[in-house]
Each structure stands twice: as structure tokens, then as C-alpha cells.
Amino acid sequence: MGDRLHLPAVASTVLPVVLCILTLLPHGLVGRPTEEENAGSSALLQRVKRGWVWNQFFVLEEYTGLEPLYIGKLHSDMDKGDGSIKYILTGEGAGSTFTIDDSTGDIHAIQRLDREVKAQYVLRAQARNRMTDRPLEPESEFIVKIQDINDNEPKFLDGPYQASVPEMSKIGTSVIQLTATDADDPTYGNSARVVYSILEGQPYFSVDAKTGVVRVSLADMDRETRENYTVVIQAKDMGGQLGGLAGTTTVNITLGDINDNPPMFDQRLYQMSIPESAPVGSVVGRIWAKDRDIGVNAEMKYSIVDGDGRDTFDISTDPTNMFGIIMVKKPLDFETKPSYTLKVEGANTHVDPALRHRAPFKDITIVHVSVEDVDEPPLFDLPAYYVELPEDAEIGTVVKTVLARDPDAANNTVRYSIETSSNLDKYFYIELTSGTLMTVRSLDREEISWHNITVLAMEMNNPAQIASVSVAVKILDVNDNSPSLEDYLETYVCENAKAGQLIQTVTAMDPDEPLGGQHFYYSLAPEAANNPNFTLRDNQDNTAWILTRRAGWSQHDQSVFYLPIFISDGEQPVQTSTSTVTIRVCSCNQEGDAMSCNAEAYSLPASLSRGALIAILACILVLLVMILLMLSLRTHRKKPYLCDEEENVHENIVRYDDEGGGEEDTEAFDIAAMWNPREAHHPLGKMRQDMLPEIESLSRYVPQACVMGGGGDSNVHGYVLAKLLEADMDPCAPPYDSLQTYAYEGEGSVAESLSSLQSGTSNTDHEYDYLNDWGPRFKKLAEMYGVLETNSSPMW
């Protein structure tokens, strides 16, 4: 079988040699069917020599013709030209980008091809029998490779660019490297070989044609002269040859600052002024040593290097590190010195050592500060005054003379006064013109030991100018108070006290405060010097002891003693006083603690001891408790008390406050017990009575029951009274309704409630004559209670 390959005319000059070499290669190296195709066709077809040769088809990109682009022709030696073979094309772009004539095998491109979008397509072809659709050859793979043409210009993908280079940089200093990309095939021709050139920016900058590095091409470029530069760079393919495509970008280059300029004051002399009343720390003014540099290179430090105001003024740098701020360091006084001269230096704080030779990087200026005269308030000769004055000083005593003057050149007259709030009690007075401070009231150290007075000085010509000063007056102590006992003006002595026994230690107090401390002397008053009961011992430590002189004390004989004590202090003039101590006679326990100091207790009979009194009180208390308990039991005696056993299961015992439900109450009492009197027990003889009660309804709404058997009225009457007597005699029965034989009576009855409460009381407590007036329906009830009133014989 012969092998043939039909190529497009456009490639006829490039591919003949390649195809000739490929035709000599073994078929297994050129194309190989897949394993699945071999597995599917091995049973039907025998392995035969391949009928065509596959290779790469080459086609130029960007074809712009109107007709489909012919790529190549596929032909099998098995094709006899009778149309029995059908060619099938599959793979990338088959049917959409590439088509094949199934009869002739001609392949065309029906879309515009762009290598930068897709450089090659992998296709598969197969020859099949048109009638049976059976494959005549195994499916094989071939490649359609798109040949590049120079249709893309170089591009700077990151542009425009920003770059910076220090000013004064040397020639050749690298600024930035640019890279342009070309989408064309770099392996085919010169379409992607780019060279760089500078279009704008000469003579300051240049660009390397191969690497795209932008460099400085002009020496000593000064930022202060020009800071920003715009450079246009071009990238051209085809090695820069004529006909190549080009792209451009912009590089904005900024010169970075270096400290190459010294600072310089814009004035050689500054004139400033400030009032003499300006406080310390006040700002006098600002100066500025200008620097053409920026940032840290323009930061300054200021200092006063000379002048007569070095000690009076100070200078600092503001937060921006650019301005110098002159401030007051000491108080100013126009009358003392009206002006000052300062020599100020401003220097850069960051200096490049490599540039020190260019300039000193500092400058000096002169600042003249004038002090302005201000009408100042009077000035006292001292900032504060301290005076000591004895408390016995006479009224009118001179305390102190304060002096104030007008510090201004006018030297106005000064007048004095005391601030009212510091002299509320009017202890002091100051002379208006001389400033003499004196007392106008008696002083008492024990009342007020310090006086803080504020003296005011005012100019006569300008009352708004007022100054003040503090005068502290300490009141010195004078021994003008008598000592007295501090405490223990009342004490006691036990009845069993012996002679010479200590009963109390006394201490004196004195509001005075002598410099050497207090020294008190104690003794009995002259009228008690020979006291037979007590004596006083001075301990020489500002205390004294009260001692007994005898034994055998008795409340009954004398319960209270009075002991006058004489006290004197040790200062001049000596002050004395007499204090009386009350001493009571008390009965004490073994430890000496007082039990009773009342003499009235001994007015009781001698035979009645304290234990007997306690017993009497206890009996009285018990008696009161018993009385309260009896009253409480009596109050609760009428509370319900239920017996454990019911006397009659047929009885319906309810509380006395349950008056029944009226006409609607049909369950209040089981009336069946009344119809079977044999089951009732006689309370006395425990005998059952045969009774056939006849009950008439008491309600106007309920018709009378017809009771058969007649003659039972007396039996019912007796039964009811027997039960009533049984309830009255039973100690366990509470005062409940014994029997509600009138159980059908209630809200609708004119008789209302007929409770049998208090039925055990005498008949005189109740009057039942009105029952006879209620008509025949209440006849039986009237007979029951009427018998009790008229007949004394037993009712059963």
C-alpha cells in the first residue's frame, strides 16, 4: 500500500524536506492506534500496514481571506476513488474550527486562528467504510501547529511606573528596571525580541537597550531645583528593525531629599516684647531657621548661645522640629531691667557626614526682647508673716506692722485692710495708712490657738491693683485655768472594806499647756484635813489615791460620804481648785464588785432575806402564768371536740353553723332512721323503742308526707326528746345539732333556722309560745317544746 500526503501550497516550500525524512521512519514512530481501538477491532481486522502518514500540519495565524483556509489533504491508499471511504475528523476544534471533506479528506480552517490564543490543536482522523461504517484504519492522532506572525506589540504590564532616586546621585545610578512582554513566539524569528529606548527624559536619564534598566545620566541633579521628572520608555520588537511593533510606558521619577542645604534665618535681628506681668513659662515669640531640605533633613535644634538674657529666657523646639519658641524662664521686672538681648543658634539635627564639607549646617541670629511696663499691684516686703502673741495680751496690743509698696515708677500710695472672711470674730484691726496690726478683743488660746489673717494692700490711684499677704498669729499659752478632776467624781466603798484600802485613783486635767508639762499637787481640802473615814495620797505623778482610814462600813448607818479634794498646778501664777468626790457605801461580792448601793433595801424586816424576795417574785410570776392559761383554756373550751366513736350510725351530726341547704338540701340527713325506730338505742337502758314517727313537712313548698301506721306522733316526739337529752348528758358531745329532724327546712321556711344549739340550758332561756301561732304544720314542734314547759313528768 503506497503512502501519500497532500500539503497546502503555503507550506510547500517549508515542509518537503521534513516530509521526506518522515516517510523513511517506521510507521510505529509516526502514529500508533490506541489500545482500546486495538481491542475493539482485533477480532474483525488483521494488523495491516498503515495507509497514511501523520505529521504536523503548519498554518499561519491571522488568516484574513474570505474563503476557508486550506490546511491539507488526507488520503488513504485503500481509497479507490469510488466514494466508499468516509474520512472522520475528531479532537480539538473539530467541527468548530476545522472541517474535513469526508469524501476527499481535505481539511480547512473555518475560523480565524490566533497563536497567542492557542498555539496548536491535537486532532484524530480515521477512515471508515461508508456503507458499513466499519473502520478501515485504526484512529490516529496528528497536530495542527499555528505558525507565528508578528502581530503583537511589546507591552509594559505594570506601567505607569513610580521611582525615586536620591538627589545629587552619580551618573549611572540605577533608578528602575522595566520589562516589556511580547505575546509573539520567542522561539520563531525576531517577533518577540525586544529592545528599549528612551523617548522623553533626556539628558537626565537613559535606558539600557537590552535590560530595560533606567539610569541617571546627568550629575548633581538638585531636588530643590527640580523634584519630579517624567520619562517615556519605548520597547520595540523585531530587534528594533524597521517594521517592528512598539509599545511605550511612562516612568515618574522623584528625586529624594538629602541634607545638602544648611539652615538660614530669614532675619538677622528679631524684635520681640512681653509684659513684665507675664508669668514664668509664657511664650515671648517664635523664630525659624529655614531649610530648603524636607523631612528629617529640615529638623532643627535651637539654643541660646550668648546674651544678657540667657538666665531669664529659654528656647525650645516646637513639635514639628522646625520653629524655635522663646519662653520666660524667670519673673520679669520692668523697673529692674527693661530689655534683654539673646544670641540664638539654629542647627540641623541630622547631618550627612559625607556632606559636612559643603556647609556648617547651622545659622545664628540676634533676638532683642523688650519688657513692657505694667501697672502692678503693691508688693509686700515679705511673702508671709508669722507672729507669736500671749493670750493675756491687752486690747490694743500691736501684733505686727506690715509694709507694702507700689513697684511701679509712679510709687502710688498704699492703703491697708483685713479681708473680712479671715477676721469674722473681729479680733484684730489694721491701721489704714501704716499697716499696723493690733488686737481689739481679748485672746484665749484654749478657744482659738491660731489666727490666720489676710491683709490687703491697695493702690490709692488704682483700686483694682490689690495685693494680699498672710499673717499667721500663734497665741502663746498663759497659766490662766485652774486644774480639776478629769473623771471619777463618784465612786464607792464596800461594806467589808478594810482600813488603808485603795478605793479610787483620781487624775486632774488642765486646759493650759505649759512648756515643761503639767505638774499637779493633791491634798484634802482644809475642812476635810482630819477626815476620820478617808485619806488622800499624792503619788507625785499627776495622780492621787483615795484610801480608807477605817473598817466596818454599813449602808444602814451612812450610805454616802463627800470628800473635797484640793488641786493646784505648778505654773506661775499658780491656779487651784477644789473638787468633791461622792463615795457611796455598797454591798460587794468576794471580788469587790458592787452588788447594791441602795440604802432602801435595809428598810425591810431583817428576817426577810434576798432569797425570800426572789421566791416571792417567782410565785407571783407563776400565779400570773396560771391565770393566763386558765383564761386561754376557757376561751377555747367551746371549740369542736369529736368523740372517737359514734353513738348511732344513723345520726348525721354536723357543726352548729351548718343550717342545711334549705329546700334544695336533700342529703343533710338520712331521714330513713326516723322510719325505723327499732334501730335506735335508748341512751339510758340501751333499749330500742318501736316508734312510727309521723313527720309533717315544715316547708311551704314541700307537700306533707303521708305516713302509714298512724298513732306515731307521740313516739316520734319521744324519740326526738330522748336524743336531745342524750346529747345534753354526753360529756363528749360538742354543742352540735343532735338531729336535724327538720332537715327539709331551709331557705324557703318562714321559721328560718331551728338549730338546737344550747339545748342543754334551762328552758327559761327560750320562749317557744310563738310556735303555736305558726299553724298546724308546726303543731308537733309546739307540742314537743310545750310539754317541756307545762309537764314535769317524764316524757318517755
Side-chain angles (χ1 to χ4, degrees):
M1 182 183 299
D3 296 333
R4 291 182 295 173
L5 176 64
H6 299 272
L7 299 174
V10 293
S12 60
T13 60
V14 180
L15 301 180
V17 177
V18 177
L19 294 179
C20 291
I21 296 173
L22 292 176
T23 55
L24 299 176
L25 294 176
H27 293 283
L29 297 176
V30 179
R32 180 180 297 176
T34 61
E35 294 180 0
E36 295 179 358
E37 293 169 347
N38 291 334
S41 61
S42 60
L44 300 177
L45 300 175
Q46 295 181 354
R47 182 175 181 83
V48 296
K49 184 179 180 181
R50 182 170 301 161
W52 52 48
V53 175
W54 305 110
N55 200 348
Q56 291 183 349
F57 289 101
F58 292 88
V59 60
L60 291 176
E61 63 173 337
E62 304 296 344
Y63 172 72
T64 58
L66 298 178
E67 298 295 331
L69 176 63
Y70 178 73
I71 294 177
K73 182 180 180 65
L74 301 179
H75 183 74
S76 175
D77 290 342
M78 298 179 65
D79 187 359
K80 304 303 181 181
D82 54 1
S84 61
I85 293 179
K86 179 174 68 174
Y87 296 97
I88 298 175
L89 183 66
T90 60
E92 295 178 341
S96 59
T97 303
F98 303 100
T99 60
I100 187 172
D101 189 327
D102 61 353
S103 298
T104 64
D106 293 333
I107 302 175
H108 292 81
I110 61 175
Q111 287 189 358
R112 184 178 179 180
L113 302 177
D114 188 355
R115 190 202 66 83
E116 287 71 38
V117 177
K118 191 170 180 62
Q120 65 181 18
Y121 295 85
V122 179
L123 298 172
R124 292 182 296 276
Q126 190 175 37
R128 289 179 175 269
N129 187 290
R130 188 178 295 276
M131 299 298 295
T132 63
D133 200 29
R134 293 176 62 182
L136 301 178
E137 292 288 344
E139 187 179 62
S140 295
E141 193 174 78
F142 68 96
I143 296 174
V144 176
K145 190 171 184 180
I146 311 302
Q147 282 186 317
D148 183 51
I149 64 173
N150 189 19
D151 59 343
N152 292 278
E153 74 278 3
K155 294 182 179 180
F156 294 92
L157 301 180
D158 298 328
Y161 298 87
Q162 301 291 332
S164 177
V165 65
E167 62 177 334
M168 301 297 173
S169 296
K170 296 180 180 180
I171 296 175
T173 302
S174 175
V175 179
I176 189 174
Q177 183 175 13
L178 308 179
T179 301
T181 59
D182 195 322
D184 294 326
D185 189 358
T187 63
Y188 179 75
N190 294 327
S191 299
R193 191 163 69 90
V194 178
V195 294
Y196 301 93
S197 62
I198 185 168
L199 300 182
E200 295 181 17
Q202 300 95 340
Y204 308 105
F205 300 95
S206 62
V207 64
D208 189 288
K210 293 182 179 181
T211 62
V213 176
V214 179
R215 300 180 186 276
V216 175
S217 60
L218 183 63
D220 297 332
M221 287 191 295
D222 190 2
R223 185 201 66 83
E224 288 72 32
T225 303
R226 181 178 177 182
E227 183 176 3
N228 299 310
Y229 297 85
T230 300
V231 179
V232 178
I233 304 296
Q234 182 189 70
K236 190 174 183 180
D237 60 12
M238 297 300 290
Q241 297 177 6
L242 186 63
L245 302 178
T248 62
T249 189
T250 300
V251 183
N252 296 312
I253 301 176
T254 302
L255 294 184
D257 183 60
I258 64 173
N259 192 6
D260 59 340
N261 293 279
M264 184 176 295
F265 288 101
D266 55 358
Q267 293 180 227
R268 294 292 95 187
L269 176 64
Y270 289 86
Q271 293 285 349
M272 299 181 183
S273 63
I274 187 169
E276 62 175 335
S277 60
V280 174
S282 300
V283 175
V284 179
R286 300 197 309 172
I287 60 175
W288 181 21
K290 295 182 180 180
D291 193 329
R292 298 176 63 192
D293 299 318
I294 61 174
V296 296
N297 297 320
E299 292 182 358
M300 305 295 296
K301 180 180 180 181
Y302 297 90
S303 59
I304 301 176
V305 296
D306 200 0
D308 58 2
R310 297 178 61 181
D311 298 332
T312 307
F313 299 94
D314 196 5
I315 191 169
S316 62
T317 306
D318 76 328
T320 64
N321 294 319
M322 296 179 64
F323 296 94
I325 302 175
I326 300 175
M327 297 177 295
V328 178
K329 186 178 180 180
K330 290 184 178 180
L332 304 175
D333 186 7
F334 171 82
E335 290 72 25
T336 302
K337 189 172 179 60
S339 64
Y340 297 87
T341 300
L342 305 174
K343 187 177 182 180
V344 180
E345 178 186 82
N348 285 137
T349 57
H350 299 84
V351 179
D352 189 350
L355 300 175
R356 284 185 181 274
H357 64 280
R358 301 189 57 169
F361 295 98
K362 60 184 178 180
D363 196 15
I364 292 178
T365 188
I366 302 298
V367 179
H368 185 267
V369 180
S370 299
V371 179
E372 298 176 353
D373 187 21
V374 175
D375 188 7
E376 300 174 274
L379 181 65
F380 286 93
D381 56 352
L382 291 176
Y385 296 88
Y386 170 77
V387 183
E388 292 182 351
L389 192 66
E391 62 178 328
D392 60 349
E394 296 180 359
I395 296 176
T397 301
V398 175
V399 179
K400 185 72 176 178
T401 298
V402 297
L403 294 176
R405 64 177 180 85
D406 182 7
D408 299 319
N411 194 17
N412 293 318
T413 305
V414 177
R415 293 292 181 261
Y416 303 92
S417 62
I418 298 177
E419 188 178 16
T420 305
S421 60
S422 65
N423 191 33
L424 295 175
D425 296 328
K426 308 295 184 182
Y427 281 97
F428 301 93
Y429 165 78
I430 192 167
E431 207 281 324
L432 182 65
T433 58
S434 64
T436 302
L437 185 68
M438 61 188 68
T439 62
V440 292
R441 286 182 57 185
S442 299
L443 304 176
D444 187 358
R445 188 201 65 84
E446 287 71 37
E447 182 180 352
I448 302 176
S449 60
W450 282 88
H451 293 270
N452 292 313
I453 305 168
T454 301
V455 176
L456 304 178
M458 179 184 66
E459 291 184 10
M460 283 289 294
N461 295 341
N462 188 1
Q465 297 297 331
I466 300 176
S468 63
V469 70
S470 175
V471 180
V473 181
K474 180 180 179 181
I475 308 302
L476 300 179
D477 183 48
V478 174
N479 190 24
D480 57 349
N481 291 279
S482 301
S484 61
L485 290 184
E486 183 176 4
D487 265 326
Y488 311 111
L489 295 179
E490 183 172 345
T491 184
Y492 69 92
V493 60
C494 295
E495 290 181 318
N496 56 359
K498 299 179 181 179
Q501 183 173 335
L502 173 65
I503 63 172
Q504 184 64 57
T505 300
V506 295
T507 303
M509 57 86 61
D510 191 336
D512 295 322
E513 293 182 359
L515 297 178
Q518 299 283 5
H519 297 283
F520 299 116
Y521 302 95
Y522 303 88
S523 63
L524 292 178
E527 63 270 18
N530 298 321
N531 191 310
N533 301 310
F534 303 97
T535 185
L536 186 70
R537 179 187 297 176
D538 191 342
N539 297 323
Q540 302 300 318
D541 59 355
N542 290 338
T543 66
W545 288 352
I546 299 176
L547 305 174
T548 58
R549 273 190 168 183
R550 65 177 178 86
W553 306 90
S554 174
Q555 293 184 15
H556 184 68
D557 296 338
Q558 184 175 350
S559 61
V560 179
F561 294 89
Y562 299 98
L563 186 66
I565 299 177
F566 180 80
I567 309 169
S568 65
D569 55 22
E571 295 296 320
Q572 295 297 328
V574 176
Q575 301 289 337
T576 62
S577 67
T578 301
S579 300
T580 301
V581 178
T582 301
I583 304 174
R584 297 185 181 277
V585 180
C586 301
S587 60
C588 303
N589 55 18
Q590 294 180 355
E591 288 76 15
D593 298 329
M595 299 293 294
S596 174
C597 297
N598 296 325
E600 289 77 4
Y602 287 88
S603 64
L604 296 175
S607 59
L608 190 59
S609 63
R610 184 178 290 104
L613 290 175
I614 296 174
I616 292 172
L617 294 176
C619 292
I620 295 174
L621 180 62
V622 172
L623 182 60
L624 291 175
V625 172
M626 292 179 64
I627 292 173
L628 293 175
L629 182 61
M630 293 175 63
L631 292 175
S632 177
L633 292 175
R634 184 175 181 181
T635 304
H636 294 82
R637 184 175 62 183
K638 294 184 179 183
K639 290 186 177 180
Y641 178 78
L642 300 176
C643 292
D644 294 335
E645 297 181 0
E646 295 184 1
E647 293 296 332
N648 193 331
V649 297
H650 297 289
E651 295 178 358
N652 185 13
I653 307 299
V654 295
R655 292 186 300 176
Y656 65 91
D657 59 346
D658 184 26
E659 301 301 334
E663 295 284 26
E664 293 80 15
D665 190 356
T666 58
E667 297 180 359
F669 174 68
D670 188 3
I671 200 65
M674 299 298 295
W675 304 112
N676 194 4
R678 292 183 177 90
E679 296 181 1
H681 297 279
H682 195 279
L684 300 177
K686 303 301 180 182
M687 297 298 292
R688 184 179 299 276
Q689 297 181 358
D690 294 334
M691 292 179 289
L692 295 176
E694 177 181 346
I695 298 178
E696 296 181 357
S697 174
L698 302 181
S699 174
R700 69 186 66 175
Y701 304 106
V702 181
Q704 279 191 331
C706 185
V707 181
M708 300 302 296
D713 293 348
S714 60
N715 291 337
V716 173
H717 190 189
Y719 176 76
V720 171
L721 292 179
K723 285 299 182 182
L724 180 60
L725 181 61
E726 179 182 352
D728 291 340
M729 300 300 294
D730 189 354
C732 295
Y736 295 167
D737 290 348
S738 59
L739 289 175
Q740 290 186 350
T741 57
Y742 40 86
Y744 291 107
E745 306 300 327
E747 296 178 355
S749 173
V750 296
E752 297 181 352
S753 174
L754 298 179
S755 172
S756 59
L757 292 175
Q758 299 179 353
S759 59
T761 59
S762 63
N763 293 335
T764 59
D765 294 341
H766 300 282
E767 296 294 335
Y768 299 100
D769 294 337
Y770 56 84
L771 294 177
N772 295 320
D773 301 331
W774 286 2
R777 294 185 177 181
F778 296 90
K779 177 181 179 182
K780 194 63 68 176
L781 190 59
E783 291 177 356
M784 292 170 58
Y785 287 91
V787 172
L788 290 174
E789 295 177 0
T790 56
N791 298 333
S792 59
S793 59
M795 290 176 286
W796 58 84

